[in-house]
Amino acid sequence: MADPAVRIPDAKVALSTASVYPESTATAFEIAARLGYDGVEVMVWTDPVSQDIEALRRLSDYHRIPVLAVHAPCLLITQRVWSTDPWTKLQRARTAAEKLGAATVVVHPPFRWQRQYARDFVDGIWRMANETDVRFAVENMYPWRYRDREMLAYAPDWDVTKDDYRHFTIDLSHASTARTDTLGMLDRMGDRLGHVHLADGRGSAKDEHLVPGRGDQPCAEVLERLALNGFDGHVVVEVNTRRAMSGAEREADLAEALAFTRLHLASATPGADGSSTATSALRAPRR
C-alpha cells in the first residue's frame, strides 16, 4: 500500500527576536532570513530598534522577512518601555502590529502588584480584541519558585485557561517551569489556541527555553497534534542561546530548532488508531 501523503499545515514558523539575545533585533531579522524562517516575532524590549516601527519596517523590507507577531513589553526589565501604563503598552503593541502587518500581539497576564490592571485585565483584553483584527493571544506563565517556596506572581492566574480569553499563546517552556500537563493545557485551550512559543524544558524553577528536543516537554507531540488539527496560527521558536560561544553556534541551534519544527509539522495522515506518523522529509522554506 502506498505511503500516506504528507500533510503540511498552514502554520508559519517564526523566529522570536529574543532567541538571539544578547545580539540585537536587527541580527534576528538577518538570521531568520538566512536560515529560512517564515517570519519573526518582535520582542519589544530595551533594544531601541524593537520599539521603532519604522526601523522594524525597514528591516522587514530589506531582509524580505515579515513581522508575524509583536510581543508586548510585559517583562520586569521592560516596565518603562513604551510607557509605565500597561494599557498604553498594549495599545502601542496593537498599533505596531497593524502597521507592520502582524497578525498577533502576545501579552502576559498582569503581575499581582498591578492591582487595577489585573482587576480589569480580562474585560479589557476583550475590549481591545473587539477593536481590531489583530489577535491578542494571552500567554501561560508559571509560579515563581525559590528553594521550597512558591509565589503566585501573576493575576488573575498564571494558568490562563482558568479565565475567558478569545485567544491563547501556549509556551512550552513556561508549562515546563509550571510543572503542568502541557498536552492537557493544549486541550483546554482548544480552538482558542492562536499562537505557539516552541521551546523545551526540564521542569527547572528557571524558565529554560531549551532548543526543542533537548528537554522533556512533548514538543514533537504538540507539533504533530497541531498539524493533524489544521492549526493555522504561528509557531514561534523562542529559545535561549545566551550560552552560545559564537555566532556560528547560535545559528546552529536556531537551524536545529527550525528543522525540528518543520519535521514534526510535516505530519502524515492519521492511522486507524488516530495516531500520526512524522515524516523525515523537511519542507523547503516558505519565502
Side-chain angles (χ1 to χ4, degrees), residues 41 43 71 106-109 137-141 157-160 167-172 174 189 197 209 238:
E41 174 179 304
M43 171 70 80
H71 195 309
V106 179
V107 57
H108 293 179
V138 186
E139 183 174 6
N140 61 299
M141 298 304 293
D157 203 286
W158 64 263
D159 182 352
V160 293
H167 293 110
F168 294 113
T169 296
I170 190 167
D171 185 303
L172 275 68
H174 293 178
M189 289 182 173
H197 281 170
H209 284 274
E238 189 181 75

Side-chain angles (χ1 to χ4, degrees), residues 23-68:
E23 297 292 339
S24 67
T25 300
T27 299
F29 276 84
E30 179 185 347
I31 291 174
R34 185 160 56 244
L35 294 182
Y37 280 84
D38 296 320
V40 299
E41 174 179 304
V42 173
M43 171 70 80
V44 180
W45 56 359
T46 53
D47 181 349
V49 171
S50 74
Q51 306 169 30
D52 186 332
I53 295 173
E54 289 309 312
L56 293 169
R57 193 198 310 277
R58 288 194 295 271
L59 284 169
S60 178
D61 290 345
Y62 179 78
H63 292 289
R64 293 187 295 172
I65 195 87
V67 176
L68 299 180

Side-chain angles (χ1 to χ4, degrees), residues 14 21 40 58 69 74 102 160 172 177 182 227 254-255 267:
Y21 183 84
V40 299
R58 288 194 295 271
C74 306
V160 293
L172 275 68
T177 303
T182 301
L254 298 177
S267 169

Side-chain angles (χ1 to χ4, degrees), residues 32-246:
R34 185 160 56 244
L35 294 182
Y37 280 84
D38 296 320
V40 299
E41 174 179 304
V42 173
M43 171 70 80
V44 180
W45 56 359
T46 53
D47 181 349
V49 171
S50 74
Q51 306 169 30
D52 186 332
I53 295 173
E54 289 309 312
L56 293 169
R57 193 198 310 277
R58 288 194 295 271
L59 284 169
S60 178
D61 290 345
Y62 179 78
H63 292 289
R64 293 187 295 172
I65 195 87
V67 176
L68 299 180
V70 174
H71 195 309
C74 306
L75 307 176
L76 283 172
I77 64 169
T78 60
Q79 292 289 289
R80 296 186 177 278
V81 173
W82 277 358
S83 170
T84 56
D85 176 65
W87 292 115
T88 300
K89 292 173 183 282
L90 295 191
Q91 289 162 0
R92 293 189 65 172
R94 179 186 65 193
T95 298
E98 290 171 342
K99 289 186 175 180
L100 294 167
T104 303
V105 167
V106 179
V107 57
H108 293 179
F111 294 112
R112 284 192 172 271
W113 54 84
Q114 296 174 302
R115 293 181 181 177
Q116 187 61 50
Y117 179 46
R119 277 195 293 269
D120 297 339
F121 185 69
V122 177
D123 290 341
I125 289 293
W126 272 101
R127 283 196 302 272
M128 295 192 75
N130 287 333
E131 296 168 356
T132 179
D133 291 332
V134 173
R135 292 176 172 178
F136 280 86
V138 186
E139 183 174 6
N140 61 299
M141 298 304 293
Y142 47 84
W144 290 1
R145 294 189 180 91
Y146 178 71
R147 294 182 179 173
D148 58 348
R149 295 185 178 182
E150 183 176 291
M151 184 178 86
L152 300 178
Y154 299 97
D157 203 286
W158 64 263
D159 182 352
V160 293
T161 64
K162 293 182 179 180
D163 292 289
D164 181 26
Y165 300 110
R166 181 175 293 174
H167 293 110
F168 294 113
T169 296
I170 190 167
D171 185 303
L172 275 68
S173 178
H174 293 178
S176 176
T177 303
R179 299 169 190 168
T180 193
D181 175 3
T182 301
L183 294 176
M185 178 171 282
L186 193 71
D187 287 339
R188 293 195 300 278
M189 289 182 173
D191 60 8
R192 290 184 291 169
L193 176 68
H195 202 68
V196 176
H197 281 170
L198 188 69
D200 219 327
R202 301 191 189 97
S204 168
K206 292 184 178 180
D207 185 18
E208 297 171 285
H209 284 274
L210 304 176
V211 171
R214 298 185 185 177
D216 57 18
Q217 282 295 289
C219 297
E221 292 90 337
V222 166
L223 292 169
E224 290 167 17
R225 187 179 296 190
L226 294 177
L228 290 171
N229 291 340
F231 178 71
D232 62 356
H234 300 141
V235 177
V236 178
V237 170
E238 189 181 75
V239 297
N240 184 345
T241 63
R242 295 177 202 177
R243 294 187 178 181
M245 300 301 291
S246 65

